[in-house]
C-alpha cells in the first residue's frame, strides 16, 4: 500500500523527512521527492497547479494500486496558532467550487473548512482556514484514488500574512513537528479501512492454457473469484483439464457455480 | 470525536435540525447544496463508509411515493413505498442497497410534512379504495427511531387516516415509543425473520431472532398489528429443516390468529446491482453464489399454510 504525502514547502516537509527517515530519490524529477519503502513525500512548491501536477506525476510513476494521498502543511486562520485540523470542505476561491473529503474513521482531530486562494489572504473569515494548494491537490487526488483514502491535514501558522516568510520559522518548526502525531494517526486510520483485494490465484494458469477474448477473460476472472469465495480451499483447473476451448471452460465454471451449495 | 453532519443549506434553520444536532451529539455541521453532491459521487468506498457512516440531512424532492410492483402487496389493491431514509445501520450481506447506492452514508429526509401531504392527496384521489404505504425499502424503519422519531410522527399521522395502511418493515427492537402509545389500527409492524444461523452469519449487526420474537410478543400483547416477513429466504444446505423450525417457533411464541399477514420472498436484486454487490463482497459465498431458490418458497408456503389461513400468506415475486 503506497502512501504519498504532498507538501508545498521544504519547511513543511522537514519534520516528516526526519521522523519517517525518508531519503531523497535521485532522478531528474522537477520536484524534490523523498522515500522510505512505500511512503513518498513530494514537495510541490506553492500553488494549486503545482500541487495537482506533482501529485499526478508521483502517483502515475510510483503507485500501482489505490494509494493513500495526504496533503500536509500550514494554513492561515483565526484559530490558535499550531492547532492541527482535518479539512472538512475545500472551496476554491477562483472557481467557487466546493469539494468534500470523505471520512470513514474517527480521530481526535478537529475539523475546519478551508478556502484555497491564489494570492495570500490577509483578511480572514472566522472559523475558516486558508491555503494555496488544497483545491488543486484534492481535484487531482479524487481522480487517482478512492475518496476515503484522501485527506488534508493543516496546521494553523498565522492569522493572516502576505507572505509565508513573515511567519516565525522556529515556532513553525515546533508546531509542524507536533503535528507528526496526528499525521501518524491519520495514516493509520486510513490504512485500517483499506481492504486487501480478493482475487482468484488461478487466473494466470487458465489464461496460459486456453485462449480467451478480452471479454471472456473478464468473465473468467469473475467466475473464478466467485467460485473461490464459495470453495476457498479448492482449485478449479482440474475440472477443466479435458476441455478444449475457453468457451467450454467458461460453461463448465458457470455450471459449477450453479450447482454450488452454501454451507452456513 | 463527534460525528460530522452534512446539512442542505435550505434546511439549516429547520426546527428538526436543532433536535437532530442534539440527538447526534454534534455541533459539526457542514452546509451543502444538495445531498447528491456527496451521496452520488464516484470513487467512494461503500464498505469503508459502512463502518463509519456520516449523516446527511436533506429534503426529499420530486416523487415521494412510488408504486410497488405488482406481486409485492399484502392484500390491498393500491400499494406505494416511500423512503424517509437511505441506508441502514444493519449490515445484511444480501442487502441490495450496497449494490444500488454508491455511498453507505445515512441520508435522512426530514421533510416529513411533504410525505404526509403526498399521502393525504393519494388517499383523497383513491376515495373509498384502500391503500398500503410501505416503509423500510431503503433502510430499516425503526433502527434509528431514537434519533429520527420517524415512526412516532408517521404513526401519529396514520391515527387520523384509518383508510390508509402503513407498514413499518424492520429487524429492530427499537419499539419503546410504540409500546408507550395506544396502538393504531391501520399500522402494521412487520418483522423480517430468518433462522438463527442466518441472522448470526448473514444479517450482521441485527438483533438476534429471539429478541425479535420477544419484540413481536410485546407489540402483539399491546394490541399492535404485526406482520411476519420471511423475506429473503436464504438457500443453504439443510435450510428446509431450519426454516420449518423457525415457522414452528413463530407459531408457538406468537398468536398467529391475530397476525396481519405473512410474506415470503427469494433473495433478489437487479443484475447490475448484484454485479456491484459481487464486486464489493467478493469473498462472501452467499453473494458469490447468488442463488435465488424458488423451491424454498414453495416449501415455505406449503408449510405456513398449514399454520395460517391461506389468505394471510403472500408470496412476493414479480406478477408476470
Amino acid at each position: 500500500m503506497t502512501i504519498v504525502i504532498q507538501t508545498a514547502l521544504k519547511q513543511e516537509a522537514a519534520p516528516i523527512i526526519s521522523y519517517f527517515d525518508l531519503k531523497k530519490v535521485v532522478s531528474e524529477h522537477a520536484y524534490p521527492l523523498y522515500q522510505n519503502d512505500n511512503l513518498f513525500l513530494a514537495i510541490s512548491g506553492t500553488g494549486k497547479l503545482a500541487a495537482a501536477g506533482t501529485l499526478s506525476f508521483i502517483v502515475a510513476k510510483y503507485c500501482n494500486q489505490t494509494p493513500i494521498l495526504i496533503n500536509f502543511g500550514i494554513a492561515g486562520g483565526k484559530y490558535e496558532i499550531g492547532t492541527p485540523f482535518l479539512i472538512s470542505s475545500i472551496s476554491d476561491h477562483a472557481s467557487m467550487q466546493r469539494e468534500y473529503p470523505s471520512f470513514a474513521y474517527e480521530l481526535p482531530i478537529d475539523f475546519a473548512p478551508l478556502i484555497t486562494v491564489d494570492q495570500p489572504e490577509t483578511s480572514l473569515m472566522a472559523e475558516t482556514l486558508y491555503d494555496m494548494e488544497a483545491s488543486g491537490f484534492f481535484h487531482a487526488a479524487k481522480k487517482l484514488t478512492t475518496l476515503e483514502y484522501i485527506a488534508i491535514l493543516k496546521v494553523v501558522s498565522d492569522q493572516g500574512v502576505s507572505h509565508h516568510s513573515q511567519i516565525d520559522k522556529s515556532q513553525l518548526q515546533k508546531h509542524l513537528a507536533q503535528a507528526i502525531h496526528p499525521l501518524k494517526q491519520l495514516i493509520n486510520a486510513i490504512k485500517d479501512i483499506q481492504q486487501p483485494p480478493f482475487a482468484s490465484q488461478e487466473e494466470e494458469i487458465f489464461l496460459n492454457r486456453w485462449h480467451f477474448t478480452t471479454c471472456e477473460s473478464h468473465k473468467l476472472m469473475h467466475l473464478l473469484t466467485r467460485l473461490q469465495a464459495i470453495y476457498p480451499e479448492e482449485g478449479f483447473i482440474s475440472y477443466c483439464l479435458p476441455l478444449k476451448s475457453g468457451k467450454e471452460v467458461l460453461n463448465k465454471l458457470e455450471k459449477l457455480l450453479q450447482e454450488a451449495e452454501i454451507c452456513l | 470525536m463527534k460525528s460530522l453532519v452534512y446539512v442542505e443549506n435550505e434546511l439549516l434553520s429547520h426546527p428538526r435540525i436543532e433536535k437532530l444536532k442534539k440527538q447526534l451529539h454534534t455541533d459539526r455541521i457542514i452546509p451543502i447544496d444538495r445531498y447528491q453532491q456527496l451521496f452520488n459521487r464516484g470513487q467512494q468506498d461503500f464498505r469503508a463508509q459502512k463502518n463509519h457512516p456520516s449523516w446527511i440531512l436533506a429534503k426529499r424532492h420530486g416523487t415521494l411515493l412510488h408504486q410497488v410492483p405488482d406481486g409485492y402487496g399484502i392484500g390491498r389493491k393500491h400499494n406505494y413505498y416511500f423512503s424517509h431514509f437511505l441506508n441502514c445501520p444493519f449490515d445484511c450481506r444480501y442487502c441490495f442497497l450496497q449494490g444500488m447506492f454508491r455511498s453507505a452514508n445515512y441520508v435522512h429526509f426530514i421533510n416529513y410534512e411533504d410525505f404526509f401531504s403526498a399521502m393525504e392527496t393519494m388517499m383523497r384521489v383513491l376515495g373509498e379504495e384502500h391503500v398500503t404505504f410501505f416503509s423500510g425499502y431503503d433502510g430499516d424503519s425503526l433502527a434509528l427511531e431514537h434519533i429520527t422519531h420517524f415512526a412516532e410522527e408517521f404513526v401519529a399521522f396514520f391515527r387520523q387516516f384509518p383508510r390508509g395502511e402503513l407498514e413499518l418493515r424492520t429487524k429492530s427492537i427499537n419499539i419503546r415509543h410504540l409500546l408507550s402509545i395506544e396502538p393504531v389500527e391501520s399500522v402494521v409492524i412487520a418483522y423480517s425473520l430468518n433462522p438463527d444461523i442466518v441472522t448470526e452469519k448473514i444479517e450482521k449487526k441485527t438483533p438476534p431472532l429471539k429478541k425479535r420474537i420477544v419484540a413481536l410478543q410485546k407489540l402483539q400483547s399491546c394490541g399492535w398489528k404485526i406482520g411476519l416477513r420471511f423475506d429473503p429466504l436464504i438457500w443453504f444446505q439443510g435450510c428446509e429443516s431450519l426454516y420449518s423450525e423457525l415457522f414452528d417457533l413463530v407459531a408457538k411464541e406468537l398468536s398467529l390468529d391475530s397476525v396481519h399477514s405473512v410474506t415470503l420472498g427469494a433473495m433478489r436484486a437487479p443484475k447490475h446491482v448484484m454485479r456491484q454487490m459481487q464486486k464489493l463482497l467478493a469473498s462472501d459465498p452467499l453473494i458469490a453464489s447468488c442463488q435465488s431458490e424458488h423451491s424454498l418458497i414453495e416449501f415455505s408456503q406449503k408449510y405456513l399454510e398449514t399454520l395460517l389461513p391461506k389468505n394471510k400468506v403472500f408470496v412476493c415475486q414479480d406478477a408476470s
Side-chain angles (χ1 to χ4, degrees):
Chain A
M1 177 192 319
T2 313
I3 302 156
V4 179
I5 302 172
Q6 178 260 320
T7 68
L9 308 170
K10 178 78 195 278
Q11 286 158 294
E12 293 166 327
I16 303 171
I17 294 169
S18 158
Y19 183 85
F20 291 103
D21 194 23
L22 305 182
K23 302 284 179 265
K24 192 158 189 180
V25 177
V26 182
S27 69
E28 66 276 27
H29 295 151
Y31 327 100
L33 178 69
Y34 296 81
Q35 180 187 6
N36 184 351
D37 194 17
N38 60 354
L39 174 63
F40 291 86
L41 180 137
I43 304 172
S44 63
T46 310
K48 60 192 182 194
L49 283 178
T54 310
L55 190 71
S56 303
F57 175 78
I58 303 299
V59 172
K61 193 165 167 78
Y62 295 99
C63 306
N64 50 11
Q65 285 175 343
T66 45
I68 295 173
L69 304 177
I70 297 173
N71 170 273
F72 176 83
I74 56 172
K78 294 198 166 165
Y79 293 102
E80 191 181 337
I81 305 292
T83 313
F85 284 100
L86 270 173
I87 300 308
S88 55
S89 70
I90 309 130
S91 305
D92 187 273
H93 186 258
S95 69
M96 306 289 284
Q97 285 191 334
R98 192 179 295 164
E99 299 275 7
Y100 303 90
S102 181
F103 302 96
Y105 44 82
E106 281 194 21
L107 284 174
I109 307 171
D110 272 333
F111 288 100
L114 177 140
I115 298 173
T116 296
V117 289
D118 291 337
Q119 298 296 329
E121 185 69 53
T122 50
S123 89
L124 311 183
M125 284 195 297
E127 297 189 351
T128 305
L129 290 173
Y130 290 75
D131 89 331
M132 296 179 71
E133 291 81 29
S135 70
F137 164 83
F138 194 84
H139 188 74
K142 69 180 187 180
K143 291 181 166 49
L144 301 168
T145 193
T146 306
L147 279 171
E148 286 69 28
Y149 307 164
I150 305 169
I152 299 168
L153 183 66
K154 294 289 184 185
V155 178
V156 181
S157 59
D158 61 271
Q159 298 193 338
V161 292
S162 56
H163 193 270
H164 59 79
S165 60
Q166 291 170 263
I167 300 168
D168 180 334
K169 285 198 175 62
S170 64
Q171 282 298 307
L172 183 62
Q173 282 307 101
K174 191 180 121 196
H175 294 317
L176 286 167
Q178 283 166 349
I180 290 294
H181 180 61
L183 177 64
K184 270 194 312 174
Q185 288 180 312
L186 176 62
I187 292 171
N188 289 335
I190 302 178
K191 271 185 182 171
D192 283 349
I193 61 170
Q194 283 197 321
Q195 288 177 346
F198 179 84
S200 164
Q201 308 302 312
E202 280 190 303
E203 192 196 11
E204 270 317 303
I205 309 171
F206 277 82
L207 289 175
N208 289 334
R209 192 173 177 103
W210 292 279
H211 172 73
F212 296 91
T213 63
T214 307
C215 177
E216 285 170 346
S217 59
H218 286 303
K219 196 169 177 183
L220 172 72
M221 187 61 192
H222 186 61
L223 289 170
L224 286 174
T225 306
R226 288 172 64 189
L227 280 165
Q228 200 189 326
I230 300 166
Y231 306 108
E233 306 299 327
E234 216 169 311
F236 305 100
I237 192 85
S238 57
Y239 294 98
C240 303
L241 285 175
L243 304 176
K244 290 197 173 108
S245 70
K247 276 194 178 61
E248 283 179 294
V249 169
L250 293 177
N251 288 339
K252 178 71 187 172
L253 295 177
E254 265 181 7
K255 195 159 179 273
L256 284 174
L257 205 50
Q258 280 161 11
E259 288 166 355
E261 275 201 25
I262 306 300
C263 295
L264 290 182
Chain B
M1 194 181 92
K2 296 169 184 172
S3 317
L4 277 178
V5 178
Y6 300 88
V7 182
E8 287 185 345
N9 281 315
E10 67 172 308
L11 298 175
L12 285 169
S13 55
H14 195 288
R16 275 199 191 96
I17 296 293
E18 275 313 305
K19 282 188 196 164
L20 283 162
K21 273 164 69 176
K22 278 183 200 148
Q23 302 278 14
L24 294 167
H25 308 289
T26 191
D27 48 8
R28 293 168 197 271
I29 295 294
I30 301 177
I32 54 171
D33 291 330
R34 283 274 179 268
Y35 79 92
Q36 293 94 330
Q37 271 180 291
L38 272 84
F39 196 70
N40 291 348
R41 56 191 174 161
Q43 298 282 81
Q44 298 186 81
D45 184 334
F46 189 98
R47 293 304 313 165
Q49 289 183 4
K50 188 81 191 165
N51 291 327
H52 186 68
S54 297
W55 281 70
I56 303 171
L57 307 180
K59 180 177 175 179
R60 184 70 140 178
H61 291 267
T63 310
L64 301 181
L65 305 175
H66 304 271
Q67 201 156 10
V68 171
D70 289 346
Y72 290 89
I74 46 170
R76 291 194 167 189
K77 187 176 172 190
H78 302 285
N79 301 288
Y80 288 85
Y81 73 91
F82 66 101
S83 298
H84 78 291
F85 210 90
L86 308 182
N87 281 317
C88 179
F90 302 145
D91 192 8
C92 302
R93 292 294 146 141
Y94 52 69
C95 181
F96 69 95
L97 297 180
Q98 58 202 327
M100 196 167 76
F101 297 148
R102 288 175 168 184
S103 168
N105 287 331
Y106 297 156
V107 181
H108 179 198
F109 298 112
I110 65 165
N111 52 325
Y112 292 172
E113 290 72 18
D114 293 335
F115 287 97
F116 298 152
S117 160
M119 287 168 175
E120 224 178 313
T121 307
M122 179 67 72
M123 287 187 272
R124 203 177 318 119
V125 168
L126 293 174
E128 293 302 305
E129 296 186 6
H130 285 175
V131 55
T132 303
F133 298 102
F134 292 85
S135 158
Y137 271 48
D138 294 326
D140 191 279
S141 296
L142 297 179
L144 295 163
E145 177 65 14
H146 53 294
I147 297 172
T148 64
H149 299 282
F150 158 74
E152 183 181 331
E153 298 212 32
F154 277 71
V155 166
F157 171 79
F158 275 86
R159 200 183 287 282
Q160 309 160 51
F161 292 95
R163 263 191 306 112
E165 184 177 60
L166 171 68
E167 178 188 297
L168 297 172
R169 177 84 60 102
T170 190
K171 294 186 179 91
S172 167
I173 53 169
N174 206 350
I175 53 170
R176 190 180 296 173
H177 174 73
L178 292 174
L179 297 181
S180 72
I181 58 170
E182 274 294 302
V184 177
E185 184 67 12
S186 55
V187 174
V188 181
I189 319 295
Y191 271 79
S192 301
L193 301 173
N194 255 312
D196 254 334
I197 194 160
V198 173
T199 303
E200 185 192 318
K201 296 201 169 174
I202 294 174
E203 296 176 342
K204 310 264 183 193
K205 301 184 186 173
T206 62
L209 174 65
K210 264 187 195 163
K211 288 195 174 179
R212 290 186 223 175
I213 301 270
V214 170
L216 279 163
Q217 285 171 329
K218 285 182 185 169
L219 288 164
Q220 207 172 30
S221 67
C222 283
W224 285 95
K225 280 188 180 169
I226 59 162
L228 308 176
R229 306 291 174 251
F230 303 106
D231 183 3
L233 292 162
I234 304 293
W235 177 261
F236 56 93
Q237 269 181 19
C239 60
E240 290 185 353
S241 86
L242 288 184
Y243 274 104
S244 319
E245 282 175 25
L246 172 65
F247 302 145
D248 289 340
L249 176 76
V250 163
K252 185 175 148 231
E253 300 294 336
L254 302 170
S255 161
L256 290 190
D257 295 342
S258 64
V259 164
H260 172 275
S261 54
V262 175
T263 65
L264 298 164
M267 186 173 140
R268 56 193 178 271
K271 251 188 183 170
H272 70 281
V273 170
M274 185 51 80
R275 193 98 183 166
Q276 183 59 22
M277 288 164 71
Q278 283 166 350
K279 265 192 205 168
L280 284 174
L281 296 168
S283 62
D284 191 286
L286 176 75
I287 301 302
S289 73
C290 174
Q291 284 181 347
S292 168
E293 188 45 73
H294 289 271
S295 65
L296 183 57
I297 295 187
E298 285 165 34
F299 167 83
S300 304
Q301 186 178 11
K302 278 185 191 154
Y303 202 103
L304 284 164
E305 284 175 356
T306 64
L307 304 170
L308 284 145
K310 274 188 179 181
N311 64 356
K312 284 195 177 182
V313 181
F314 299 89
V315 174
C316 289
Q317 57 191 10
D318 291 335
S320 52

